[in-house]
Amino acid sequence: MEPVTAGAAEGDWRGWRAAAEAALYGPDGFYRRPEGPAGHFRTSVHASPLFAAAVARLLCRVDEALGRPAVLDFVDMAAGRGELVTGVLAALPADVAARARARAVDLAGRPAGLDHRIEWRTEPPERITGLLFANEWLDNVPVEVVEVDSAGVPRLVLVRADGTERLGEPVSGAEAEWLARWWPLGAREGLRAEIGLPRDRAWAAAAGTLARGLAVAVDYAHTAGARPPFGTLTAFREGRETTPVPDGSCDLTAHVALDACATACALPGARLLPQREALRALGLSGARPPLALASTDPAGYVRALASAGEAAELTAPGGLGDFGWLVQPVGIADVLGG
Ligand SMILES: C[S@@+](CC[C@H](N)C(=O)[O-])C[C@H]1O[C@@H](n2cnc3c(N)ncnc32)[C@H](O)[C@@H]1O
């Protein structure tokens, strides 16, 4: 793709960051729609209640590490329709639930019928003592896309509302620095990258709200040395992957450079691990029940089999099991072990 200056009016072209911001979060944006994210794709939260139960166990470990505080915070960051926080509250032992202060943070409005114990906010609270958990948030924080031109220069990719792209200015300033440090591109024409700087800042701000406890970001991720050569920008609509068009009709997402987010926090002790390891450390196993159970307790066997199937989906290689967990303790030990 070559830089073009003639053609459509200048105002029609925007960088992907501004275009996605309007398409996802503007007044008619994709995430303002009544059906919510679950109407278009399945996250781990929607895949199985086992995920919320595992997060509840993680919250219990954080509670122990904090010395069982009088008020234990749980913040569901980028909560969608509050499905995770609802599941976590339901899975907590009564003595922990009695001390839990549950908050859901999302740009969308409070869903009807949400448990009255859950506070709904558009910004994370300050001074959290507990667990802040962000499942599939950072991949939806809009980023600039860049592409190497025929002279070997990385340029911003500009896009129109119909998805047509062209190249803009060479990447410069803090974005160029981020690119050089975290996603250096070769000189080959057509190589692409996404500049994760807004995600680094978003994560540093969210994790920075912890007074003590644990912040966890879970997402499609890549790390230095294994960046995808043509980037990962894509879209989802009604359960199907589709061409990214910033017109509010689809989710726009790109995998997250979680290693860069970890470093942006300037807090010691951050760790990256795949979801399959994190969930196993929280006691989730995809093991099938013993066949003998089928004759002694057929209903129990069917239930255990369904549960094993769901655990297998959450930990599957090539699927949800490959998601990255960025685990950021603040003033407590690493409660996931390792
Ligand atoms: C892919 S959905 C994930 C929903 C839920 N966490 C789950 O795993 O099912 C991403 C959510 O992030 C929310 N979001 C994006 N940027 C946000 C921000 N800066 N503050 C709060 N919520 C945000 C969107 O509104 C959307 O509900």
Side-chain angles (χ1 to χ4, degrees):
M1 210 188 331
E2 283 300 304
V4 178
T5 46
E10 275 312 299
D12 292 348
W13 297 98
R14 288 187 285 187
W16 266 106
R17 185 179 174 196
E21 190 70 49
L24 296 179
Y25 309 116
D28 299 319
F30 177 79
Y31 278 114
R32 305 282 181 198
R33 291 172 167 222
E35 70 269 23
H40 296 267
F41 48 84
R42 252 155 77 92
T43 67
S44 294
V45 179
H46 314 129
S48 167
L50 294 176
F51 188 77
V55 175
R57 285 197 291 280
L58 180 59
L59 180 58
C60 290
R61 289 193 190 179
V62 171
D63 183 41
E64 291 291 336
L66 289 168
R68 304 177 137 261
V71 177
L72 174 68
D73 288 315
F74 177 69
V75 178
D76 182 357
M77 181 64 210
R81 292 297 178 270
E83 298 95 332
L84 177 62
V85 62
T86 302
V88 167
L89 278 182
L92 283 178
D95 61 311
V96 181
R99 288 180 290 111
R101 177 165 58 182
R103 273 93 155 244
V105 182
D106 206 282
L107 300 173
R110 182 185 180 95
L114 191 73
D115 187 323
H116 69 277
R117 291 173 297 171
I118 302 167
E119 185 191 335
W120 191 266
R121 323 168 43 108
T122 53
E123 293 280 337
E126 287 300 322
R127 312 264 333 138
I128 295 163
T129 300
L131 173 63
L132 177 140
F133 200 94
N135 192 63
E136 292 205 36
W137 168 38
L138 295 172
D139 68 291
N140 283 131
V141 172
V143 287
E144 294 295 0
V145 176
V146 302
E147 183 175 317
V148 175
D149 71 9
S150 57
V153 177
R155 290 176 176 271
L156 289 177
V157 175
L158 306 182
V159 63
R160 266 190 334 213
D162 66 358
T164 311
E165 292 181 338
R166 75 175 216 207
L167 296 189
E169 293 299 309
V171 184
S172 62
E175 289 175 337
E177 283 165 28
W178 190 95
L179 201 60
R181 175 168 184 197
W182 292 109
W183 197 330
L185 287 168
R188 207 173 98 215
E189 184 178 7
L191 291 173
R192 281 169 75 120
E194 291 109 21
I195 299 183
L197 195 57
R199 293 163 173 186
D200 295 3
R201 290 177 176 153
W203 180 244
T209 61
L210 277 184
R212 276 179 80 220
L214 189 70
V216 180
V218 179
D219 239 305
Y220 304 89
H222 45 60
T223 50
R227 307 275 186 223
F230 302 105
T232 58
L233 178 70
T234 189
F236 289 89
R237 184 191 297 130
E238 291 167 6
R240 289 217 170 77
E241 192 161 4
T242 178
T243 308
V245 177
D247 62 357
S249 70
C250 53
D251 180 34
L252 298 165
T253 164
H255 296 199
V256 183
L258 273 183
D259 49 349
C261 295
T263 304
C265 268
L267 290 165
R271 191 154 72 93
L272 276 173
L273 70 167
Q275 170 149 306
R276 94 179 58 82
E277 259 178 49
L279 290 182
R280 292 214 172 112
L282 291 168
L284 202 80
S285 134
R288 293 166 69 93
L291 202 54
L293 191 67
S295 43
T296 56
D297 177 7
Y301 178 76
V302 170
R303 274 197 308 276
L305 205 56
S307 174
E310 290 175 10
E313 181 183 355
L314 290 172
T315 54
L320 294 172
D322 286 343
F323 271 44
W325 280 44
L326 165 54
V327 178
Q328 183 86 66
V330 178
I332 60 167
D334 180 349
V335 291
L336 270 176

